[in-house]
C-alpha cells in the first residue's frame, strides 16, 4: 500500500517597515496535517503567527501532478484572508502557481490566523491510487523564506504539515512474453488487478496453441503452474511462454470465463491437451458455488453439459460461467432419541447449503432398540425416507423412540406376542416381538383381502422386523405370526 504524495514549496517574502521587533522576536508559519481517501477534495490550511505590520507576501506552490486526478489552477487557493485582497494569482507552469500581495497599508494578523486554504482533488482510480498512494510531508523551503523588519532579519519558524491517504489496496501487474494468457482466480488478466491487502490470488499461465509455458519471474519465480500469490504489497510478475518445438497432430485448449472449471473425460481441468490421433473427449463444465454454467464457445457451442467434442484438428473451447441468480438456503437437522439422518445418501454432520429449488432426500436410521417415529419442524410427516424442496431455510427434527416406551404397557397386559408399528401403515412398518421364551424364530405371513398370501418369511425374534408394502395398493391386510407351537 502506498499513500498519496503531495509536495508543497512555499516561498514567502515578508517585508515590514519600521523597527517594531527586537532581535529575539520570532514569527512562524505552518501547514495543516490532513487525512484523505481516494477521490476526496481536501482543504489544507496555511496559517501564520507573529505577523504584525506586514506589507508584502510572495508564496509559490508546486504540486506533484501524479497525485491529483484533476487540478484546477483557478480554484486551488481558496478562502483567501480578507486582508490579502488584491493578491495576484498566476500559473507559472503546468503544476506551479504563485500568490503575490503588496500593500502600503501594513497588515497585522492575530496569532494562528489562516492565510488561505489549498484545495486539492485526489485520484479516484483505484489502480492509480494504490500505486501512488503514500504519506507525504508538506514542507516550506526554509533557506529561501525570510521575515524582515527594516534592516534586521527576524527568525521565521516553520511547522511542516502533511497530507496522507489510506489506500488498503495492492496492485498486481503482469508482464507477458510470448503467446498465451494468464488467469487470475480463473478470470483472464486484461490489465492491472487491484485487491485487498493480503488477499490470495491463484495465477495460471495458459499457452496458446504451439506455445508452452516456460517460467515466472519477478515477484514469482519458478515453473509451478498454477501458483499462489499473497498480495502483501504491490506485485510485478513476468510470465514467459516459449514456442513448443514438440510436434503434436491435434491439441485441445481449454479456457474459462467466470468462476468454474472443466473436466475432460472425468479428469481435472488441464488448459492444454495434445493427442496423437483424432479423439472424442467428454467435456463437463463444473461451476463454483454461486455460479452456474451458461454455454460453450469457440469450437464447441451450445448449453449441453456434459458435451462431447471430436478433436480432429487443433481445437479451442471456452466454458462460460455466470453468477447464479438463485438464492442459497440452509438445511439444519436435529434428532431426539438415538438415530442418525442421511442427506442424499451422505451422513448429516452439520448444516448444509443448497440452491433454491434443490430436491433433497432425507433418510432417518434408528439405532438398535429404537424406532423412527416422525419428522417435525418445517416438515411434519411420518414418511421415511422423505424428499423435500429447498424453497427456504429449513430446520427439521427426526424423532426416535425406544421400543419399550412404545409397546411396554400394552405388551404386559396382552396375550399377543407381537405388535405392528405404525398402524395404519403407509409404506414401511415394523414388527416387534415380546413375551416369547425359548422361541428364536417366527414365521411371518401377510395376506390381502382376497386371502392371497403376498409375503412369507422366517425371522428372528430378538430384533424388530422392518417390512414394506409400498409396491401394494392401499387397503386392508392381515398379518399372521406363527411359532413352532402354532400360536
Amino acid at each position: 500500500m502506498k499513500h498519496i504524495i503531495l509536495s508543497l514549496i512555499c516561498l514567502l517574502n515578508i517585508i515590514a517597515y519600521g523597527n517594531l521587533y527586537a532581535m529575539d522576536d520570532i514569527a512562524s508559519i505552518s501547514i495543516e496535517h490532513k487525512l484523505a481517501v481516494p477521490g476526496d477534495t481536501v482543504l489544507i490550511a496555511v496559517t501564520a503567527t507573529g505577523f504584525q505590520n506586514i506589507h508584502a507576501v510572495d508564496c509559490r506552490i508546486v504540486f506533484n501532478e501524479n497525485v491529483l486526478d484533476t487540478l484546477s489552477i483557478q480554484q486551488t487557493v481558496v478562502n483567501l484572508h480578507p486582508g490579502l485582497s488584491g493578491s495576484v494569482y498566476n500559473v507559472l507552469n503546468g503544476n506551479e502557481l504563485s500568490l503575490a500581495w503588496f500593500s502600503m497599508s501594513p497588515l497585522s494578523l492575530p496569532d494562528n490566523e489562516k492565510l488561505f486554504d489549498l484545495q486539492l482533488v485526489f485520484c479516484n482510480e483505484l489502480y492509480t491510487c494504490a500505486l501512488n498512494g503514500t504519506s507525504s510531508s508538506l514542507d516550506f523551503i526554509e533557506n529561501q523564506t525570510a521575515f524582515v523588519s527594516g534592516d534586521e532579519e527576524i527568525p521565521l519558524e516553520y511547522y511542516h504539515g502533511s497530507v496522507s491517504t489510506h489506500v488498503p489496496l495492492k496492485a498486481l501487474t503482469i508482464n507477458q512474453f510470448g503467446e498465451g494468457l494468464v488467469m487470475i482466480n480463473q478470470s483472464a488478466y486484461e490489465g492491472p488487478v487491484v485487491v485487498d491487502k493480503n488477499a490470495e490470488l491463484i495465477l495460471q499461465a495458459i499457452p496458446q496453441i504451439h506455445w508452452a509455458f516456460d517460467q515466472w519471474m519477478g515477484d514469482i519465480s519458478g515453473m509451478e503452474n498454477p501458483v499462489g500469490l499473497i498480495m502483501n504489497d504491490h506485485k510485478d510478475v513476468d510470465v514467459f511462454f516459449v514456442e513448443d518445438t514438440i510436434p503434436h497432430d491435434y491439441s485441445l485448449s481449454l479456457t474459462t470465463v467466470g468462476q468454474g472449471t472443466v473436466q475432460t473425460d472425468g479428469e481435472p481441468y488441464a488448459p492444454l491437451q495434445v493427442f496423437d490421433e483424432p479423439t472424442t473427449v467428454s467435456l463437463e463444465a463444473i461451476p463454483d458455488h454461486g455460479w452456474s454454467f451458461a454455454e460453450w464457445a469457440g469450437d464447441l457451442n451450445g448449453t449441453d453439459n456434459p458435451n462431447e467434442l471430436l478433436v480432429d484438428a487443433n481445437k479451442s473451447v471456452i466454458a462460460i460461467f455466470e453468477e447464479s441468480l438463485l438464492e442459497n438456503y440452509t438445511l439444519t437437522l436435529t434428532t431426539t432419541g438415538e438415530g442418525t439422518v442421511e442427506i442424499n445418501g451422505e451422513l448429516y454432520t452439520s448444516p448444509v447449503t443448497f440452491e433454491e429449488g434443490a430436491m433433497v432426500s432425507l433418510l432417518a436410521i434408528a439405532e438398535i432398540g429404537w424406532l423412527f417415529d416422525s419428522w417435525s419442524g418445517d416438515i411434519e410427516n411420518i414418511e421415511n425416507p422423505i424428499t423435500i424442496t429447498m424453497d427456504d431455510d429449513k430446520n427439521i427434527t427426526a424423532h426416535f423412540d425406544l421400543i419399550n416406551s412404545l409397546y411396554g404397557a400394552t405388551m404386559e397386559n396382552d396375550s399377543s406376542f407381537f405388535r405392528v408399528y405404525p398402524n395404519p401403515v403407509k409404506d414401511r412398518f415394523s414388527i416387534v416381538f415380546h413375551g416369547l421364551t425359548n422361541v428364536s424364530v417366527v414365521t411371518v405371513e401377510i395376506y390381502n383381502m382376497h386371502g392371497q398370501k403376498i409375503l412369507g418369511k422366517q425371522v428372528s425374534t430378538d430384533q424388530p422386523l422392518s417390512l414394506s408394502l409400498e409396491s401394494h395398493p392401499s387397503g386392508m391386510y392381515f398379518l399372521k405370526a406363527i411359532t413352532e407351537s402354532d400360536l
Side-chain angles (χ1 to χ4, degrees):
M1 172 177 58
K2 294 182 180 177
H3 296 275
I4 289 176
I5 299 173
L6 173 66
S7 296
L8 173 63
I9 302 171
C10 188
L11 175 63
L12 280 82
N13 296 317
I14 305 170
I15 304 171
Y17 295 93
N19 190 359
L20 304 179
Y21 297 94
M23 285 300 295
D24 58 353
D25 288 338
I26 296 177
S28 66
I29 186 168
S30 62
I31 306 174
E32 182 183 14
H33 296 270
K34 200 74 171 184
L35 180 66
V37 297
D40 265 3
T41 298
V42 299
L43 298 179
I44 305 166
V46 178
T47 59
T49 297
F51 275 37
Q52 301 293 321
N53 297 324
I54 304 303
H55 287 266
V57 174
D58 183 13
C59 181
R60 296 190 179 187
I61 304 170
V62 177
F63 296 93
N64 181 344
E65 60 186 5
N66 293 327
V67 174
L68 301 177
D69 185 46
T70 58
L71 172 56
S72 176
I73 295 296
Q74 287 73 22
Q75 297 178 358
T76 299
V77 173
V78 297
N79 302 325
L80 194 65
H81 191 283
L84 299 180
S85 60
S87 298
V88 177
Y89 182 35
N90 294 317
V91 178
L92 302 182
N93 52 48
N95 63 335
E96 182 179 347
L97 60 89
S98 71
L99 176 68
W101 173 85
F102 174 80
S103 175
M104 293 300 295
S105 300
L107 173 66
S108 295
L109 301 177
D111 287 348
N112 299 313
E113 187 86 341
K114 181 170 65 178
L115 298 177
F116 53 84
D117 285 318
L118 301 177
Q119 178 173 268
L120 305 176
V121 182
F122 289 89
C123 65
N124 195 36
E125 198 279 314
L126 287 182
Y127 174 68
T128 302
C129 289
L131 290 179
N132 292 342
T134 188
S135 296
S136 177
S137 63
L138 307 181
D139 300 327
F140 295 101
I141 299 181
E142 300 181 22
N143 59 3
Q144 296 183 17
T145 308
F147 186 87
V148 180
S149 174
D151 295 330
E152 298 178 0
E153 183 174 299
I154 295 179
L156 180 63
E157 291 186 343
Y158 302 89
Y159 295 95
H160 305 299
S162 67
V163 176
S164 57
T165 60
H166 179 62
V167 186
L169 301 170
K170 297 301 174 186
L172 169 64
T173 303
I174 301 292
N175 307 302
Q176 180 175 316
F177 302 89
E179 297 297 325
L181 61 88
V182 176
M183 306 294 288
I184 309 293
N185 286 359
Q186 300 184 358
S187 295
Y189 176 85
E190 297 179 348
V193 176
V194 177
V195 295
D196 291 333
K197 183 179 180 180
N198 293 325
E200 182 177 7
L201 300 180
I202 303 300
L203 282 66
Q204 182 175 19
I206 302 177
Q208 293 292 344
I209 296 174
H210 304 307
W211 287 77
F213 167 70
D214 182 42
Q215 63 177 322
W216 305 102
M217 293 188 69
D219 287 316
I220 299 177
S221 60
M223 301 177 63
E224 183 180 353
N225 188 35
V227 64
L229 178 65
I230 302 297
M231 295 296 294
N232 54 5
D233 203 344
H234 300 309
K235 302 290 184 179
D236 199 288
V237 175
D238 298 332
V239 57
F240 292 88
F241 298 98
V242 295
E243 291 191 75
D244 189 356
T245 58
I246 302 176
H248 299 293
D249 294 327
Y250 312 100
S251 65
L252 171 60
S253 175
L254 294 175
T255 57
T256 60
V257 175
Q259 296 187 18
T261 60
V262 178
Q263 288 190 349
T264 305
D265 292 330
E267 295 298 322
Y269 174 87
L272 182 65
Q273 301 172 54
V274 294
F275 307 91
D276 294 329
E277 60 185 17
T279 304
T280 298
V281 297
S282 175
L283 302 178
E284 182 177 5
I286 303 175
D288 287 350
H289 181 71
W291 290 73
S292 61
F293 171 69
E295 61 179 329
W296 302 102
D299 290 316
L300 183 64
N301 296 305
T303 59
D304 291 345
N305 188 37
N307 207 338
E308 291 190 344
L309 174 70
L310 174 61
V311 184
D312 56 357
N314 292 331
K315 297 291 181 74
S316 178
V317 174
I318 302 172
I320 301 175
F321 300 93
E322 59 186 9
E323 290 192 76
S324 176
L325 299 179
L326 298 177
E327 294 285 343
N328 290 325
Y329 295 119
T330 300
L331 172 61
T332 304
L333 296 177
T334 55
T335 60
T336 63
E338 298 295 327
T340 57
V341 179
E342 288 186 352
I343 301 179
N344 293 340
E346 299 291 335
L347 181 65
Y348 173 86
T349 57
S350 59
V352 184
T353 299
F354 297 93
E355 282 191 347
E356 178 183 0
M359 305 296 291
V360 180
S361 175
L362 304 180
L363 173 63
I365 304 173
E367 298 291 341
I368 295 176
W370 294 74
L371 288 174
F372 169 73
D373 178 65
S374 61
W375 306 100
S376 68
D378 289 320
I379 298 294
E380 303 284 345
N381 210 303
I382 62 171
E383 294 184 23
N384 188 38
I386 190 171
T387 300
I388 64 173
T389 301
M390 293 300 296
D391 53 6
D392 202 347
D393 291 336
K394 302 286 187 184
N395 289 276
I396 299 174
T397 301
H399 298 278
F400 300 93
D401 287 326
L402 273 170
I403 293 173
N404 289 340
S405 68
L406 292 171
Y407 303 110
T410 58
M411 288 177 181
E412 293 175 359
N413 302 313
D414 199 295
S415 60
S416 63
F417 63 88
F418 69 90
R419 281 287 183 270
V420 177
Y421 177 82
N423 191 11
V425 176
K426 182 153 188 180
D427 290 322
R428 301 191 66 85
F429 65 96
S430 296
I431 302 174
V432 180
F433 301 97
H434 66 95
L436 296 174
T437 59
N438 300 322
V439 176
S440 60
V441 176
V442 172
T443 299
V444 175
E445 296 176 349
I446 299 179
Y447 297 85
N448 63 20
M449 287 291 292
H450 301 290
Q452 296 173 322
K453 184 167 71 172
I454 62 174
L455 184 146
K457 187 175 184 179
Q458 279 194 334
V459 298
S460 173
T461 61
D462 60 355
Q463 296 291 338
L465 172 65
S466 179
L467 297 173
S468 173
L469 291 176
E470 58 186 350
S471 61
H472 298 279
S474 300
M476 184 175 292
Y477 293 83
F478 301 94
L479 187 150
K480 183 179 181 181
I482 307 171
T483 67
E484 295 177 353
S485 59
D486 292 335
L487 290 177

